[in-house]
Amino acid sequence: MLPAFNYVKAKSVADAVRQLAAPGARVHAGGTDLLGCLRDGVFKADTVISLSALKALRGITPAAAGGLRIGALTTNAEVAASKDVNEHYRALAQAAAAVASPQLRNQGTIGGNICQRPRCWYFRGDFHCLRKGGDTCFAVQGENRYHCILGGENCYIVHPSDTAPALVALGARVRIVGPAGTRVVPIGSFFVGPAVQITKENVLAQGEVVTEILLPPAEAALRSSYRKVRARGAWDFALAGVAVALLMKDRTVARARIVLSGVAPVPWRAEAAEKAVAGHALSPEVVASAAEAAVQGAEPLEQNGYKVPMVKGVITESLIALA
Ligand SMILES: Cc1cc2nc3c(=O)[nH]c(=O)nc-3n(C[C@H](O)[C@H](O)[C@H](O)COP(=O)(O)OP(=O)(O)OC[C@H]3O[C@@H](n4cnc5c(N)ncnc54)[C@H](O)[C@@H]3O)c2cc1C
């Protein structure tokens, strides 16, 4: 059952920030993740601050410096349907379309998508794990088939977001407003892994709100895609996935960003794979070496070794399709 909490509709971003200063206050966007966490006792909230009245945080518009500005309250369905996003930032349109189900895409927002909490069943369940302030990661000795193979350290969650890897591949930035003012951070620095911080997945401090996501100016020679493998065809999180953004010069890859989902506690830049394709045409040999490079350093747990060939497969398919 959902426990009782105060529910407040913020009148402005400044009002939301002010109200969030109270201990135990939480941001509510679409609520598709937050309310499940509160119901299941993953964490508590004394007050839930809804952003739903803040029209300024909705919609996709040209950004002042070129590119696109996506308000944090824009739904995943709106991102997936946007003509601009589909034409110039295809990986993001595909990622937003791959989120959950139509109902959840209509309700869930892109801000909530990048800020959602992990789906590890120990974290979500009745276990006082490291991420909840305990001293054990139960996945190490337990049921770990959906956990990470890269970047795990003491805690082995995977980052659950589909849009996040696409945003990293596309070089997006995040605008954050909080008690100390406004800051804009590259989205790659927004996410933090367990080696840095084990109880949170991003750099947001108490009282800070994501207000918008900024995409860089469109590049005509950019090709991008997001591909996700999941256990079921209907709503499900990624077992493994990849966002690829390639800047092409004729048939050669001038710049590559390859970012994995479903296999690491943060959207995972596969830098060795990026190096394997940069400066080359996408021949079968180059694609194969990129797929191999992407899993360098992978350390599967007892039950999730299947993710290694899955990552290789999803990268191979994505690069061949983009070629
Ligand atoms: C059955 C099911 C299947 C799902 N499948 C997928 C999937 O396949 N892929 C996927 O990516 N996601 C999936 N989700 C997760 C999630 O529902 C969506 O990703 C959605 O986008 C979350 O957005 P929301 O607006 O509902 O967030 P909320 O539930 O409102 O918020 C989520 C978290 O982010 C914080 N937050 C929200 N907005 C902001 C903001 N602007 N600034 C600061 N903090 C903020 C909240 O405090 C909360 O902790 C699934 C969820 C469910 C229930």
Side-chain angles (χ1 to χ4, degrees), residues 256-268:
R257 291 206 197 96
I258 299 178
V259 188
L260 305 178
S261 63
V263 292
V266 293
W268 187 262

Side-chain angles (χ1 to χ4, degrees), residues 44-106:
K44 293 187 171 63
D46 299 321
T47 307
V48 165
I49 315 291
S50 167
L51 305 180
S52 62
L54 307 184
K55 293 206 172 67
L57 300 193
R58 291 185 189 278
I60 303 175
T61 48
L68 283 186
R69 172 222 173 257
I70 305 182
L73 281 191
T74 309
T75 65
N76 293 307
E78 288 164 341
V79 174
S82 157
K83 187 167 172 289
D84 285 333
V85 176
N86 274 281
E87 270 178 19
H88 303 297
Y89 310 94
R90 187 125 184 87
L92 178 59
Q94 290 178 336
V99 169
S101 62
Q103 293 91 333
L104 286 159
R105 287 195 291 278
N106 283 333

Side-chain angles (χ1 to χ4, degrees), residues 124-240:
R124 294 267 166 170
D126 203 9
F127 294 84
H128 192 52
C129 71
L130 272 171
R131 195 156 286 272
K132 288 198 286 206
D135 57 12
T136 308
C137 173
F138 295 91
V140 176
Q141 300 292 329
E143 294 287 336
N144 50 37
R145 60 186 175 276
Y146 299 134
H147 290 78
C148 73
I149 57 169
L150 289 158
E153 190 162 319
N154 299 322
C155 166
Y156 293 85
I157 60 156
V158 297
H159 199 280
S161 169
D162 283 313
T163 65
L167 291 167
V168 176
L170 293 167
R173 291 174 304 142
V174 184
R175 189 183 296 277
I176 298 167
V177 179
T182 299
R183 58 188 178 129
V184 177
V185 298
I187 193 153
S189 322
F190 178 75
F191 300 104
V192 282
V196 177
Q197 178 178 257
I198 214 152
T199 54
K200 295 199 308 180
E201 298 79 48
N202 58 54
V203 296
L204 288 180
Q206 177 67 34
E208 285 192 318
V209 177
V210 173
T211 57
E212 58 196 37
I213 289 162
L214 298 160
L215 289 165
E219 295 169 287
L222 190 81
R223 294 186 205 165
S224 74
S225 70
Y226 179 70
R227 188 172 166 77
K228 162 184 181 183
V229 182
R230 50 188 149 189
R232 295 176 295 198
W235 56 265
D236 213 346
F237 292 86
L239 296 173

Side-chain angles (χ1 to χ4, degrees), residues 3 17 38-40 66 71-72 112 131 134 144 153 168 178 182 233 271 274 277 300:
V17 168
L38 295 178
R39 181 199 57 207
D40 296 341
R131 195 156 286 272
N144 50 37
E153 190 162 319
V168 176
T182 299
E271 288 177 11
E274 294 172 358
V277 296

